[in-house]
Amino acid sequence: MSGPVGPYAFVFWNDDLDDAAVVDRLRELAGAGFVGVTLSARVGLSRRVGYLTDEYLRLVRVAVDECARLGLAVMLYDEASYPSGSANGAVVARDPGHAARCLVPVVRDVVVPGNDDGAAAVPGYWRPALGRDLDARLLAVVARRVHDGVPADDGARLLPVRAPGVVLLDLAPGTWQVTAVYDAASGGTIRGAHAEEDDGSALAPPAADLLDPAAVAAFVELTHDAYAAALDDHLGSTVVAMFTDEPFLLGRGHRPHARPYTRGLEDEAASALGTDRDDVLRRLPTLWDDDGTRPGGTDPAASGFARTWADVVRDRLARVYYGALAAWCARHGIALTGHPAEPDDLATTGLLDWPGQDTVWRWVLPGPTALEGPESTAAKVAASAARRRGAPALTEVLGAYGWRLDLDEARWLLDWYLSRGVTVPVFHAFFASVRGGRAFESEPDLGVHNSWWPHLPPLVAYVRRVAELMAAHPPVWSVGVLCPPDAAPSGGVVRALLQGQVDFGYTVDGAGYDVVVDPADGVPDAAAVRHRLEELGRPAVNCVPAAPDLRAVVLGDDRGTVFFHEGEEPVATRVRVPHVPAEPCWWDPFTDRRHPVSVASDGRVDLRLRPRQTLALVTRSGPVEDGHPPDGPRAGGDPVELSGWTGVLERAICDLDEIQDAPGDAAAEAPVLGLGDWTQHPVLRRFAGTYRYATTFTPTAAARTIDLGDVGGAATVLVDGVVVGHALSAPYEVDLPVLDAGEHRLEVLVSNSAANYYEGAGSPSGLIGPVTLRPRHHR
């Protein structure tokens, strides 16, 4: 169940596909440097192709055959869109009894007056009803006495139900809350494969009961077995994993106040509590005493019976759903991967062979969300579960961040995951089509429909280099942070450790960690934790002055330390690392260049990082360039401004006529540009794409850096037709190689934000400048 680490491409099949469209996209992704792909039927797939039809499976075979030729690993996605477990509604179509189920309450307040002698009045009747739901089953009716407006659990009574569903309200005088608890279909759906099957549609596929072994067996037969029949010779070789996505017990758009259920779950709760079934039924109304639950109907902060019920639900999901899928994958020699519904659910994440999480919808960004809230735990949750299994950690990343996502933000988020131990990022997503509304379905497309496509390969290469380094020498985590199985903590404890360069993993029991931090004890002192690690002879990183935006990752096998920059201002500090590797150098994994390093007698090294820069202190494994990383003071010499620029259209993702506000009779023509913001040109106000700027220059011995000034988007620099560097974010600087004396041709490819076309964003675009040739930085 092994596969390559590094970046995978999430491929959306969201239109009418043919062999050429499938193969061409895979070749583009292989050329961009991805190690693998995740193939997914997505909203917008044509009815002609269908989902799990003969034609669909034939195209899957075409794709996997091509991946085998290209050397791309394949993850198969087990659903049509998401959440997983319903086979685009085919599970429930096979047997309506396989639909997701839930418990829902119908509540009535009852005041029972007393007679003159204090005895109860003649009892009345109540016929509770769950609307016109013919298949709903009245599971229990429970009466709880109300004191000061709050129903009391002590003394709760099961009331008898008479045919045809009438309840005898035989109650003592006083105020009561009577709750009828129904077992009913949740009414939840999934996002289907076809345009007319999305959320809110009457044709949205019904969610299946993932707690029912028969429903799960049907799901496996309809999906997994179909893939096996089509791809058997590829399973365990080209096909390395099956991806299951956010299995959601209730489905999307489920009944209000629903709680997860399947037939007989009350008996499992009784066994867990060491009580009888009637006692569990009496306690069911407490599930609604606090409506601060998650969408799945559970609350990790719950206590008492609600906590037990949540644990029973989670344990059954692990056994029935994840257990069946993992067993199938093991039989076929592939890994089970994907991610659960909740970002901080360590226990469920750990059920996957390659534990995974996702970060979508701009839930995590530079600033507070990087360290605060359940979503901020996702990367560490995946990596912690993976560490326990001795497996790679996966993430679904960049999904639904919108067309305004730029490569600067993308780099930050990828570093956020890499620095926390994730080595299999799945880039979400590469659309087969942006026709019509497809352009706005979990956008952006990260591929050819995005103006940044020419600049994505260097970012992919960077991620691959870092992931492979960290997979070969897994980071040393000596500190464990205790957490409940389904609620990893964030905030103060995490902030103190990471900002103090103390790497850690989440743990429910502390096993395998030298120092265990309990959030119940308050926010730890990072300095004291580092001191304790040093006493134990375990690796510790210390920065003077403090550098809270620095994330230090100590590689295993004494192979060095990787430093990521998570902030927005430059970092300048002296770092004492636990081990200085032999023949050390600074390696910049983005440029793949190595530079000298000076180590003081106390083991400290000077470290300067720009935002969005990563440096690794490692053993030299290639030539070390003269000079140093571009992060120190500049050498002597004055910069020389370069002029004479001419910019011509290189690539467009839109038609120039289409984007004109007041198109004339003549077709719009792409203007020739000089330096400046091209959105100021009337023809290019909504243009998105790439311009190629060119001039000539004569280098000097000292002048070795091209400073592009302001750039609207991302830039690639070429000298005499050869790429010499990429600048995806400010400062837009590229070091030049040693050049012969004389004149050289300098070209800069600049791509702007695709949001200018898709949303009319008006983001500054182009080579704005000024562009200068100046001496390289040195230490």
Side-chain angles (χ1 to χ4, degrees):
M1 295 189 295
S2 62
V5 299
Y8 284 67
F10 210 142
V11 177
F12 280 6
W13 284 3
N14 66 346
D15 211 328
D16 196 35
L17 304 173
D18 57 23
D19 294 25
V22 168
V23 169
D24 288 349
R25 180 55 38 84
L26 294 172
R27 290 174 179 173
E28 292 163 356
L29 295 171
F34 286 95
V35 303
V37 297
T38 303
L39 302 176
S40 173
R42 191 70 178 194
V43 175
L45 182 69
S46 73
R47 284 285 182 180
R48 183 193 67 82
V49 172
Y51 178 61
L52 297 178
T53 63
D54 290 344
E55 175 62 5
Y56 175 85
L57 293 170
R58 188 191 68 80
L59 286 171
V60 170
R61 178 74 199 203
V62 167
V64 176
D65 284 346
E66 182 65 18
C67 287
R69 287 189 287 270
L70 295 169
L72 290 172
V74 175
M75 298 181 193
L76 299 172
Y77 188 87
D78 70 4
E79 187 52 83
S81 203
Y82 65 93
S84 291
S86 302
N88 204 45
V91 172
V92 178
R94 173 178 287 190
D95 182 348
H98 289 340
R101 304 204 68 76
C102 67
L103 298 180
V104 283
V106 176
V107 179
R108 177 178 177 180
D109 294 326
V110 176
V111 177
V112 179
N115 294 326
D116 293 340
D117 60 1
V122 175
Y125 295 93
W126 175 40
R127 193 191 74 82
L130 192 64
R132 294 182 177 180
D133 191 331
L134 303 183
D135 295 322
R137 178 175 65 115
L138 184 56
L139 189 63
V141 180
V142 181
R144 295 188 291 172
R145 190 181 289 276
V146 176
H147 299 287
D148 298 324
V150 179
D153 298 333
D154 293 343
R157 290 182 51 198
L158 281 175
L159 298 183
V161 180
R162 318 290 191 188
V166 175
V167 179
L168 176 65
L169 300 176
D170 186 10
L171 301 170
T175 301
W176 296 81
Q177 183 185 84
V178 183
T179 303
V181 180
Y182 279 90
D183 157 26
S186 74
T189 60
I190 71 165
R191 299 191 68 204
H194 306 298
E196 66 277 13
E197 294 179 331
D198 207 348
D199 288 337
S201 168
L203 298 179
D209 184 355
L210 306 186
L211 301 178
D212 177 7
V216 173
F219 171 62
V220 171
E221 178 187 339
L222 289 162
T223 55
H224 296 54
D225 289 349
Y227 280 127
L231 302 170
D232 185 61
D233 53 321
H234 283 298
L235 297 181
S237 52
T238 302
V239 177
V240 297
M242 183 71 77
F243 191 111
T244 195
D245 195 353
E246 296 183 10
F248 186 13
L249 295 175
L250 298 171
R252 298 166 68 85
H254 57 78
R255 293 176 184 267
H257 310 296
R259 298 293 183 265
Y261 181 71
T262 195
R263 297 287 171 86
L265 198 62
E266 64 273 23
D267 296 320
E268 292 190 29
S271 178
L273 289 167
T275 187
D276 59 31
R277 182 176 184 273
D278 282 353
D279 186 41
V280 169
L281 296 179
R282 276 191 294 270
R283 300 190 198 190
L284 286 179
T286 65
L287 296 178
W288 293 276
D289 284 348
D290 180 5
D291 258 350
T293 60
R294 290 175 162 175
T298 60
D299 182 2
S303 58
F305 177 77
R307 176 79 244 185
T308 298
W309 187 263
D311 289 343
V312 168
V313 168
R314 191 181 66 251
D315 290 347
R316 186 172 176 107
L317 179 69
R319 183 175 69 255
V320 172
Y321 182 78
Y322 285 104
L325 270 58
W328 188 95
C329 289
R331 290 195 301 271
H332 291 83
I334 65 175
L336 176 62
T337 192
H339 56 88
E342 301 298 343
D344 53 354
D345 188 343
L346 180 65
T348 305
T349 305
L351 299 174
L352 300 163
D353 297 320
W354 297 355
Q357 278 291 339
D358 76 338
T359 303
V360 295
W361 294 111
R362 308 188 74 80
W363 287 333
V364 173
L365 292 167
T369 54
L371 297 169
E372 186 72 48
E375 300 295 338
S376 75
T377 70
K380 275 292 183 188
V381 164
S384 300
R387 181 184 190 271
R388 193 171 186 113
R389 292 190 70 108
L394 174 142
T395 175
E396 180 184 330
V397 66
L398 305 179
Y401 267 60
W403 284 111
R404 299 188 188 223
L405 176 73
D406 59 24
L407 288 174
D408 174 76
E409 206 170 53
R411 166 72 186 268
W412 180 91
L413 190 57
L414 289 163
D415 280 349
W416 184 82
Y417 262 107
L418 290 166
S419 67
R420 286 157 172 77
V422 172
T423 56
V424 184
V426 180
F427 287 43
H428 179 303
F430 295 82
F431 296 8
S433 171
V434 291
R435 182 170 62 89
R438 290 167 177 80
F440 305 97
E441 195 277 298
S442 299
E443 69 272 17
D445 170 59
L446 305 182
V448 297
H449 305 110
N450 201 311
S451 47
W452 73 18
W453 172 247
H455 311 277
L456 191 62
L459 184 59
V460 171
Y462 160 77
V463 171
R464 182 171 183 171
R465 292 182 193 115
V466 176
E468 289 176 348
L469 174 67
M470 294 175 63
H473 311 289
V476 178
W477 291 354
S478 299
V479 176
V481 173
L482 285 176
C483 66
D486 57 351
S490 65
V493 171
V494 169
R495 183 180 295 107
L497 294 175
L498 289 182
Q499 292 185 341
Q501 288 75 54
V502 177
D503 212 350
F504 71 91
Y506 288 119
T507 175
V508 296
D509 55 14
Y513 293 95
D514 299 294
V515 176
V516 177
V517 173
D518 188 346
D521 297 332
V523 176
D525 180 347
V529 175
R530 288 195 303 269
H531 180 68
R532 179 57 180 154
L533 291 175
E534 291 169 349
E535 288 181 333
L536 295 172
R538 304 301 294 154
V541 175
N542 187 29
C543 296
V544 179
D549 291 332
L550 190 67
R551 302 291 172 261
V553 176
V554 178
L555 299 175
D557 309 317
D558 292 334
R559 291 304 180 102
T561 307
V562 186
F563 297 96
F564 298 87
H565 186 359
E566 201 162 292
E568 301 302 317
E569 298 296 330
V571 165
T573 187
R574 298 197 80 201
V575 180
R576 187 177 70 233
V577 295
H579 179 80
V580 178
E583 299 185 71
C585 72
W586 286 118
W587 176 51
D588 183 333
F590 183 75
T591 63
D592 198 21
R593 292 173 178 168
R594 295 161 182 82
H595 308 273
V597 59
S598 177
V599 183
S601 59
D602 63 355
R604 292 187 181 272
V605 294
D606 288 332
L607 175 64
R608 294 181 177 86
L609 286 176
R610 302 188 310 267
R612 316 296 183 266
Q613 186 181 19
T614 301
L615 287 176
L617 184 63
V618 294
T619 296
R620 185 175 68 187
S621 59
V624 173
E625 297 188 6
D626 62 330
H628 300 270
D631 53 18
R634 295 176 181 175
D638 296 326
V640 177
E641 186 169 343
L642 302 182
S643 59
W645 291 95
T646 300
V648 297
L649 179 63
E650 176 84 7
R651 177 179 180 268
I653 65 169
C654 54
D655 183 271
L656 288 181
D657 290 325
E658 176 191 26
I659 61 174
Q660 302 312 305
D661 293 328
D665 295 332
E669 295 184 2
V672 176
L673 302 177
L675 297 184
D677 180 358
W678 76 47
T679 64
Q680 301 307 305
H681 197 294
V683 174
L684 301 179
R685 287 183 60 190
R686 282 188 53 229
F687 171 77
T690 304
Y691 258 77
R692 181 184 293 266
Y693 297 82
T695 191
T696 58
F697 76 108
T698 301
T700 66
R704 296 282 302 281
T705 296
I706 293 291
D707 184 340
L708 300 176
D710 289 335
V711 173
T716 295
V717 177
L718 303 89
V719 175
D720 300 331
V722 177
V723 173
V724 297
H726 306 272
L728 307 185
S729 60
Y732 292 94
E733 300 172 353
V734 171
D735 283 345
L736 299 175
V738 176
L739 299 172
D740 296 335
E743 190 173 78
H744 294 266
R745 180 174 175 81
L746 176 65
E747 296 173 292
V748 183
L749 294 178
V750 177
S751 303
N752 70 332
S753 171
N756 281 16
Y757 168 61
Y758 289 107
E759 298 179 359
S763 298
S765 302
L767 184 57
I768 299 169
V771 182
T772 56
L773 179 65
R774 60 165 176 75
R776 182 184 294 186
H777 292 89
H778 69 79
R779 289 196 179 280

